[in-house]
Amino acid sequence: MGTRPRTKPHLLLLLLLLATRALVSSPAWNLAQGSPAAFGPVFEDQPLGLLFPEESTEEQVTLVCRARASPPATYRWKMNGTEMNLGLGSRHQLVGGNLVIMNPTKAQDAGVYQCLASNPVGTVVSREAVLRFGFLQEFSKEERDPVKAHEGWGVMLPCNPPAHYPGLSYRWLLNEFPNFIPTDGRHFVSQTTGNLYIARTNASDLGNYSCLATSHMDFSTKSVFSKFAQLNLAAEDPRLFAPSIKARFPAETYALVGQQVTLECFAFGNPVPRIKWRKVDGSLSPQWATAEPTLQIPSVSFEDEGTYECEAENSRGRDTVQGRIIVQAQPEWLKVISDTEADIGANLRWGCAAAGKPRPTVRWLRNGEPLASQGSAQNRVEVSAGDLRFSKLSLEDSGMYQCVAENKHGTIYASAELAVQALAPDFRQNPVRRLIPAARGGEISIACQPRAAPKATVLWSKGTEILVNSSRLTVTPDGTLVIRNISRSDEGRYTCFAENFMGKANSTGVLSVRDATKITLAPSSADINLGDNLTLQCHASHDPTMDLTFTWTLDDFPIDFDKPGGHYRRASVKETVGDLTILSAQLRHGGTYECMAQTVVDSASKEATVLVRGPPGPPGGVVVRDIGDTTVQLSWSRGFDNHSPIAKYTLQARTRPAGKWKQVRTNPANIEGNAETAQVLGLTPWMDYEFRVLASNILGTGEPSGPSSRIRTKEAVPSVAPSGLGGGGGAPGELIVNWTPMSREYQNGDGFGYLLSFRRQGSSSWQTARVPGADTQYFVYSNESIRPYTPFEVKIRSYNRRGDGPESLTATVYSAEEEPRVAPTKVWAKGISSSEMNVTWEPVQQDMNGVLLGYEIRYWKAGDKEAAADRVRTAGLETLACVTGLHPNTKYHVTVRAYNRAGTGPASPSTNATTMKPPPQRPPGNISWTFSSSSLSIRWDPVVALRNESAVTGYKPQESSKPKEGATQDSRPELCGPLPVT
């Protein structure tokens, strides 16, 4: 090697003197000398904006500020950009880093505050904190004018809240506290203006109204009441009128990302209008609160920006209003600066970037002061928006830097420390490796990376020989020594010498040459099907003094053999075998596999390609167009065929976001594998659909595509007649017709309802009634001329905005029945036990008032009034009944009435019956029996009845054995009367 150039002695001495004087306070210099590491302030607590109630009894406000730093930080504060005087006797005190404001007032203390934390390394500025003062004045003491309106019309009562900050919440009182107005569909209290809206007034709305306004501040709540205003209503026959929206949301609503957005919409109308919301250029999220008068978006995002429409509708018409939500955002960091150590004399580029709407501007601070491009001849510092560039760093560039991004919605700060270093070469942290093993015939890189600033110049020696670049030896620009085609002669001691103007150092390692590693059996490429097993072989030879390990990669990504449920297994036969087994191969297992055999000094590798064939991947880009009432045209893009040609496609649809997917009919019926469009047939009109596509090949059907965007087919006239037509019942003079409401899939369009046709049986002319509403399920026709239980012929069809659907079959429905007009005759009653009596009667003839359902027996004790009678009904047209549960030896009055669905008819003449005394309480005695071949004879002593017991008329044998397993006992009531014994 040639002689290295040397710095002149007097110039070197001058440079060392200047550097040493500057380095005395440098954090890096102190670290090199073993002193504790210094670092600049890093905020741990920063001030937050506060809302202080003007009427608060608190005597102070505290704005927090705390920074971690070494040496510890000192603190200063700015108010509205001007440094504050925090001396003794001031209302503003510094406690630690916190600013305490005693007896705060709006006139003196409202403003923008910032904390500055400093130590010898530098200064950082906190984010801005705004101190605001909240207040709520009282309502005006003047009496409020009465509000006049016509009954049945809508009315608005203004709140006119007093001066306040911040916003308020509102409620209204009627007549007295706490009778608050309910938030139902007829009343609405605007939380924007405080006004009370009543969609349609009625007599219950008369009274005196007061507006209650409440202010919610950080740690206090205050409410004030307005004077009462009287609402007077002029009596008038309420008339129906179309909706008119009175509470309208603005044409433009600005909101920040993450904020809650509430749109208000309320209308006058009779009937009370129903409010519906929709997004004109999108769809409403199901998570949003869409209670009728308000649309509430809890956390708005950019996707929610767009035009929204409120529609108020009743049977007389509709009214709409539209407005746009414009979403903006505070600044948010995309890229920030970080603490950096840089060499003296080096170049440095720092950058930061922020997102926001409007787009944020970016500025820079150094030690809390604005930083701009330097216009000196050297022009060493250049500031350009988010970029900060240094040329030839000097020690004076060390310090705390902040990148500041701001728009009209806020300001954010990113801080970092720049430490410019000047160090003599030092190998203590990163010496040359002491033992450097290398493979014969291979290549080795020996790093030389001393800590040095500025960067040291490097030269290498082997023993006493200075090394120069040759075909086998290279010293790279970063000082690394590279030796190629290594042989035994390369073994020896290698020393790296490093030097800069601060000093010099060296470090030595020993190179040891070993045998090279070689692949002896390489893996072979394979072609398999989904689910197959495969083993890739890999054997190797190596230097016996070192351990050999095998690693596998798939498309350059390491294979994880320890993953639970994984498909890979590693062979463990012996050290020189590294076979890989794939169990139940999946499509993702196809690719380029590399087996690497390696020791600590070298490695060898071989590759093999595995092709896994399987069902096709999901098609993409499903688009719906040419939307008709029962058809749409679907198109898609081909997915991966996974190495087996696509044979056909299948189309599916669903009508609900979480509904079941069903295959649909298509044109052509069989969609070939080269197609990318088809027509879907047989859809339901006016129905929301999503579609997806599945591809199939000889190996099966693949995963479905993602769902298409949701579409709605066009409207068409109803194609199915309503079912379940029937009716009957009701009040005299009424015909009630009911049917099964038609579900959404059969309505085929908006404006849905039912068209009912009916006529008296035998009449030639039909009457019609139009019944709006898909959920309606009955119709009542009232006419005093309708006779009871008159048969009517009835038929029904549905309609929508496109026209009338088909008519149902004719059904017979009877008008309301009347009670029977004739009473039963020849009523007879007889007590047959102590608790039972039999009742018989002559039946009544069926009349034209209705269908006779049975008879009702009423019975009551002699001496009681008939109003206290108990009742028993027969379940059919029987003319006898057994009444049970009676009292012994008691006289009862009995009447019988006929009944139908309308009620009971007139009572028969009453008759009387007396129950018997109770039966004897003693059992027969001395029971004995004898068997013969075909009979059983039983004997017992007779029972003699007491005076308060009924005479014995017979005996009833009872079998005491239990019923056989599985047998059922008769649960019917016993017949009245005793059973004679033979």
Side-chain angles (χ1 to χ4, degrees):
M1 291 181 61
T3 303
R4 298 180 61 219
R6 302 182 61 86
T7 307
K8 294 181 179 180
H10 66 279
L11 180 58
L12 177 59
L13 180 62
L14 178 61
L15 288 171
L16 284 172
L17 178 61
L18 290 173
T20 303
R21 292 178 60 187
L23 285 170
V24 170
S25 62
S26 167
W29 173 265
N30 292 336
L31 179 63
Q33 299 301 317
S35 302
F39 59 89
V42 178
F43 281 116
E44 294 186 330
D45 287 315
Q46 297 191 57
L48 296 172
L50 286 178
L51 179 63
F52 188 81
E54 288 188 4
E55 300 177 1
S56 174
T57 58
E58 296 287 331
E59 297 181 352
Q60 65 183 39
V61 168
T62 300
L63 298 174
V64 300
C65 182
R66 183 165 61 94
R68 174 169 46 87
S70 179
T74 59
Y75 299 91
R76 295 173 290 142
W77 283 82
K78 287 184 178 181
M79 176 183 175
N80 297 329
T82 302
E83 188 161 341
M84 302 176 66
N85 178 16
L86 303 179
L88 293 175
S90 169
R91 288 190 311 110
H92 304 108
Q93 299 294 324
L94 190 63
V95 180
N98 300 342
L99 175 65
V100 180
I101 305 174
M102 309 299 296
N103 302 315
T105 63
K106 180 179 179 181
Q108 291 180 291
D109 301 310
V112 179
Y113 291 80
Q114 277 185 294
C115 171
L116 291 83
S118 303
N119 76 351
V121 175
T123 300
V124 288
V125 180
S126 75
R127 65 186 169 214
E128 296 179 344
V130 181
L131 176 59
R132 296 182 173 90
F133 287 78
F135 66 95
L136 173 58
Q137 296 181 2
E138 298 290 333
F139 276 96
S140 169
K141 300 298 184 183
E142 296 182 3
E143 296 294 331
R144 296 201 164 199
D145 294 334
V147 178
K148 298 179 181 180
H150 293 279
E151 185 175 347
W153 289 68
V155 69
M156 185 271 287
L157 283 77
C159 178
N160 298 326
H164 60 273
Y165 181 84
L168 306 175
S169 63
Y170 301 93
R171 300 178 75 183
W172 279 78
L173 296 170
L174 175 58
N175 295 328
E176 61 183 359
F177 183 87
N179 186 22
F180 289 105
I181 299 296
T183 53
D184 53 21
R186 200 166 62 84
H187 300 85
F188 175 64
V189 178
S190 169
Q191 297 304 310
T192 302
T193 63
N195 298 339
L196 169 64
Y197 297 84
I198 306 177
R200 173 184 52 80
T201 55
N202 56 37
S204 66
D205 295 320
L206 287 170
N208 297 309
Y209 289 80
S210 173
C211 178
L212 169 66
T214 302
S215 174
H216 301 277
M217 284 175 260
D218 287 348
F219 49 88
S220 73
T221 299
K222 179 182 178 181
S223 298
V224 293
F225 294 85
S226 73
K227 285 280 190 177
F228 280 96
Q230 188 175 33
L231 175 61
N232 299 320
L233 297 178
E236 182 178 308
D237 289 336
R239 66 177 185 85
L240 304 180
F241 62 96
S244 176
I245 295 177
K246 299 299 182 181
R248 296 170 172 257
F249 55 96
E252 289 185 344
T253 299
Y254 287 85
L256 291 180
V257 168
Q259 284 186 340
Q260 176 175 294
V261 177
T262 301
L263 304 182
E264 295 183 340
C265 179
F266 192 75
F268 295 168
N270 188 13
V272 174
R274 179 186 175 194
I275 302 296
K276 292 190 294 186
W277 294 88
R278 76 182 184 98
K279 188 177 181 184
V280 176
D281 43 8
S283 58
L284 298 179
S285 168
Q287 281 79 33
W288 295 349
T290 54
E292 284 194 350
T294 60
L295 172 66
Q296 193 173 86
I297 306 175
S299 180
V300 72
S301 65
F302 286 116
E303 291 74 19
D304 303 326
E305 187 169 277
T307 300
Y308 291 79
E309 180 182 84
C310 166
E311 177 187 78
E313 182 179 25
N314 64 11
S315 59
R316 305 296 293 179
R318 60 194 289 267
D319 191 13
T320 62
V321 63
Q322 289 186 354
R324 184 167 181 81
I325 293 179
I326 300 171
V327 181
Q328 298 194 336
Q330 297 175 331
E332 181 180 0
W333 288 119
L334 299 175
K335 176 185 175 183
V336 296
I337 54 177
S338 58
D339 292 344
T340 300
E341 294 180 349
D343 294 346
I344 188 170
N347 297 331
L348 175 66
R349 176 179 176 179
W350 257 347
C352 63
K357 188 178 179 183
R359 182 188 298 275
T361 59
V362 177
R363 56 188 174 89
W364 292 83
L365 304 177
R366 178 166 64 189
N367 294 328
E369 298 297 330
L371 181 64
S373 297
Q374 295 180 357
S376 63
Q378 292 83 7
N379 194 24
R380 291 193 316 102
V381 181
E382 181 182 352
V383 178
S384 176
D387 285 336
L388 175 60
R389 295 183 179 89
F390 296 88
S391 300
K392 299 180 181 179
L393 283 165
S394 67
L395 295 173
E396 289 78 11
D397 294 323
S398 296
M400 298 301 300
Y401 290 79
Q402 290 178 284
C403 182
V404 185
E406 55 193 343
N407 65 12
K408 65 180 181 180
H409 301 300
T411 304
I412 55 177
Y413 292 76
S415 304
E417 177 184 344
L418 172 60
V420 181
Q421 300 179 343
L423 299 171
D426 186 350
F427 281 99
R428 285 177 295 177
Q429 292 186 5
N430 196 16
V432 173
R433 284 187 295 164
R434 292 193 177 186
L435 179 60
I436 310 167
R440 186 164 51 191
E443 179 178 301
I444 187 69
S445 294
I446 309 174
C448 178
Q449 297 174 337
R451 187 177 184 190
K455 181 181 177 180
T457 57
V458 171
L459 65 84
W460 282 88
S461 71
K462 180 185 177 186
T464 59
E465 177 189 0
I466 301 298
L467 300 180
V468 296
N469 288 345
S470 67
S471 60
R472 291 182 58 248
L473 298 176
T474 302
V475 179
T476 65
D478 66 355
T480 299
L481 173 62
V482 180
I483 308 174
R484 303 175 187 85
N485 193 20
I486 295 173
S487 66
R488 291 288 183 185
S489 62
D490 293 317
E491 289 186 325
R493 295 171 59 84
Y494 289 80
T495 302
C496 173
F497 297 90
E499 181 181 4
N500 66 9
F501 73 87
M502 295 293 296
K504 61 179 66 177
N506 64 77
S507 180
T508 300
V510 177
L511 178 65
S512 175
V513 179
R514 312 292 175 87
D515 289 338
T517 303
K518 297 179 180 179
I519 299 292
T520 57
L521 179 59
S524 300
S525 297
D527 186 337
I528 60 175
N529 289 337
L530 184 72
D532 289 351
N533 297 335
L534 174 67
T535 296
L536 297 175
Q537 294 180 308
C538 186
H539 300 181
S541 63
H542 67 296
D543 190 298
T545 63
M546 293 178 291
D547 293 332
L548 178 69
T549 59
F550 288 90
T551 59
W552 285 85
T553 59
L554 171 58
D555 295 331
D556 297 328
F557 288 96
I559 292 176
D560 182 5
F561 290 92
D562 299 323
K563 182 178 180 182
H567 294 256
Y568 294 109
R569 299 291 183 270
R570 189 201 306 267
S572 56
V573 180
K574 54 183 179 179
E575 186 184 15
T576 57
V577 176
D579 295 352
L580 168 69
T581 298
I582 307 172
L583 301 177
S584 185
Q586 304 299 302
L587 293 171
R588 65 179 181 275
H589 296 145
T592 300
Y593 286 81
E594 181 184 53
C595 171
M596 178 178 289
Q598 57 187 354
T599 65
V600 294
V601 298
D602 71 337
S603 64
S605 63
K606 292 291 183 180
E607 292 183 348
T609 301
V610 174
L611 185 68
V612 182
R613 302 181 188 272
V622 180
V623 176
V624 187
R625 53 186 177 83
D626 299 340
I627 301 171
D629 53 1
T630 60
T631 63
V632 298
Q633 190 73 26
L634 217 61
S635 60
W636 59 90
S637 59
R638 292 171 58 85
F640 293 111
D641 63 8
N642 291 328
H643 314 297
S644 181
I646 298 173
K648 67 173 184 176
Y649 288 98
T650 303
L651 309 189
Q652 293 180 338
R654 67 179 178 186
T655 55
R656 298 187 303 276
K660 184 178 180 182
W661 289 97
K662 297 180 181 179
Q663 187 170 340
V664 292
R665 293 191 296 113
T666 60
N667 179 26
N670 296 316
I671 307 172
E672 296 182 353
N674 58 357
E676 293 187 9
T677 184
Q679 187 181 40
V680 180
L681 309 175
L683 301 177
T684 299
W686 198 60
M687 183 63 68
D688 294 334
Y689 282 98
E690 288 177 319
F691 300 92
R692 70 180 186 182
V693 182
L694 299 91
S696 303
N697 61 17
I698 194 172
L699 297 174
T701 299
E703 292 293 318
S705 69
S708 69
S709 58
R710 179 167 288 270
I711 63 97
R712 177 172 291 181
T713 51
K714 291 184 177 179
E715 297 182 355
V717 297
S719 56
V720 178
S723 61
L725 188 61
E734 288 184 348
L735 171 67
I736 297 181
V737 182
N738 50 46
W739 58 89
T740 302
M742 296 184 70
S743 61
R744 172 73 170 76
E745 60 186 299
Y746 297 113
Q747 295 173 20
N748 289 9
D750 204 0
F752 188 83
Y754 302 93
L755 190 61
L756 195 67
S757 300
F758 57 93
R759 67 182 180 186
R760 283 186 175 87
Q761 202 169 62
S763 175
S764 60
S765 60
W766 292 87
Q767 291 180 269
T768 60
R770 204 171 187 86
V771 185
D775 296 332
T776 310
Q777 53 188 349
Y778 69 91
F779 171 75
V780 180
Y781 171 64
S782 299
N783 192 320
E784 294 179 357
S785 66
I786 299 177
R787 294 182 57 81
Y789 205 58
T790 300
F792 279 80
E793 293 177 328
V794 179
K795 53 187 178 181
I796 192 172
R797 67 175 68 193
S798 58
Y799 69 87
N800 59 23
R801 291 194 300 199
R802 296 297 301 271
D804 299 341
E807 208 164 45
S808 70
L809 298 175
T810 302
T812 300
V813 178
Y814 288 83
S815 63
E817 302 179 26
E818 283 188 356
E819 301 89 344
R821 299 178 182 178
V822 180
T825 59
K826 296 183 180 181
V827 178
W828 174 83
K830 178 176 175 58
I832 57 173
S833 74
S834 61
S835 62
E836 299 170 319
M837 66 178 171
N838 279 336
V839 183
T840 63
W841 59 90
E842 289 290 326
V844 300
Q845 298 297 318
Q846 290 274 8
D847 58 23
M848 301 303 293
N849 286 0
V851 178
L852 186 65
L853 300 178
Y855 297 89
E856 180 178 278
I857 299 98
R858 299 188 185 183
Y859 54 98
W860 64 97
K861 295 179 183 179
D864 289 349
K865 295 184 178 180
E866 185 178 356
D870 290 317
R871 306 180 185 194
V872 174
R873 280 191 170 186
T874 67
L877 301 182
E878 299 287 341
T879 58
L880 59 90
C882 174
V883 180
T884 61
L886 306 178
H887 294 277
N889 198 26
T890 302
K891 182 179 180 181
Y892 284 90
H893 300 296
V894 181
T895 62
V896 181
R897 305 166 185 251
Y899 74 89
N900 60 16
R901 281 191 290 263
T904 55
S908 69
S910 67
T911 187
N912 301 324
T914 302
T915 54
M916 301 174 67
K917 295 178 181 179
Q921 300 300 307
R922 293 167 298 156
N926 296 326
I927 301 173
S928 61
W929 60 87
T930 58
F931 289 98
S932 66
S933 59
S934 61
S935 65
L936 170 66
S937 297
I938 305 174
R939 295 181 182 276
W940 62 86
D941 290 342
V943 176
V944 179
L946 302 178
R947 285 198 311 170
N948 62 343
E949 295 176 338
S950 58
V952 177
T953 58
Y955 295 88
K956 183 176 182 181
Q958 289 184 328
E959 186 178 356
S960 62
S961 61
K962 295 181 180 179
K964 294 181 180 179
E965 186 176 352
T968 58
Q969 294 182 325
D970 194 349
S971 61
R972 293 176 296 174
E974 296 181 356
L975 297 174
C976 291
L979 298 176
V981 176
T982 58

